[in-house]
Amino acid sequence: DTAVSQTPKYLVTQMGNDKSIKCEQNLGHDTMYWYKQDSKKFLKIMFSYNNKELIINETVPNRFSPKSPDKAHLNLHINSLELGDSAVYFCASSQSGGGVETQYFGPGTRLLVL
Amino acid sequence: AQKVTQAQTEISVVEKEDVTLDCVYETRDTTYYLFWYKQPPSGELVFLIRRNSFDEQNEISGRYSWNFQKSTSSFNFTITASQVVDSAVYFCALSEVKTGFQKLVFGTGTRLLVSP
């Protein structure tokens, strides 16, 4: 069974377009994340949601708007795509609690902006 | 600010060799967690291990072992008798807890190439 899934797996689009990436987890976790991995493989957190509420926003441009309809889903909408948005976007989830829980990652969405 | 350094950009070994991937971290927190993730050529991120700052016991899982030393702020990862399937990029990460919730700060990764 897929724990954290993302759609689409690949996304090729033109500059200026708007696109969305979807993420779903069936682990029963209450916290979800978006990370961006650039061409040099560097991974950096973008957003985190807990029970549908935004808790971390790492100074990401306003063109990126996450939406969490419920705690099992976290979507990422990107407006006016730019060349620099080309990257792999990973969704992850974990369960909040007293300590620090492991984050489990989806397979990634490879976005190429032409 | 928290930081993770993986100084080895790429390591090449021949199958059956042992290899150690280094990870050095910086944090002012007294409570923190360290992680290792594997990213094979297929691209997904696979969780390998989590270790909290109060537990300095080394851990072994099959051919994998981890050496956590707070005195040197290091959390090194050793693969014994490496295999071609171990070829991947390995990331060390440090958890930062903000307002009760964590975010992972990743190192830049070490690419391991195991040749037959």
Side-chain angles (χ1 to χ4, degrees), chain B:
Chain B
Q2 305 203 342
K3 186 179 176 183
V4 176
T5 301
Q6 295 181 255
Q8 303 151 309
T9 306
E10 186 169 305
I11 302 175
S12 292
V13 299
V14 177
E15 225 175 1
K16 297 184 185 176
E17 284 186 25
D18 298 347
V19 58
T20 295
L21 309 181
D22 298 333
C23 173
V24 174
Y25 62 92
E26 296 174 28
T27 179
R28 291 183 180 176
D29 292 348
T30 54
T31 303
Y32 52 90
Y33 282 69
L34 295 160
F35 298 79
W36 276 94
Y37 285 85
K38 174 182 179 180
Q39 187 172 39
S42 49
E44 70 273 25
L45 281 162
V46 179
F47 164 73
L48 295 178
I49 190 172
R50 180 183 80 190
R51 172 68 72 215
N52 75 54
S53 53
F54 298 110
D55 183 2
E56 286 194 72
Q57 280 193 343
N58 291 333
E59 180 152 343
I60 299 174
S61 176
R63 296 182 298 106
Y64 294 172
S65 62
W66 290 269
N67 184 343
F68 177 29
Q69 291 195 339
K70 285 179 78 170
S71 59
T72 55
S73 297
S74 65
F75 186 43
N76 297 337
F77 173 30
T78 298
I79 302 175
T80 304
S82 59
Q83 299 176 1
V84 172
V85 293
D86 295 327
S87 296
V89 179
Y90 291 87
F91 292 95
C92 181
L94 172 67
S95 74
E96 179 177 317
V97 180
K98 264 188 163 183
T99 61
F101 299 102
Q102 68 170 76
K103 72 172 187 178
L104 285 174
V105 175
F106 283 89
T108 49
T110 296
R111 182 181 299 276
L112 175 64
L113 299 171
V114 182
S115 54

Side-chain angles (χ1 to χ4, degrees), chain A residues 75-88:
Chain A
N75 304 324
L76 183 64
H77 187 76
I78 315 171
N79 290 327
S80 303
L81 278 156
E82 300 177 358
L83 294 177
D85 297 332
S86 296
V88 181

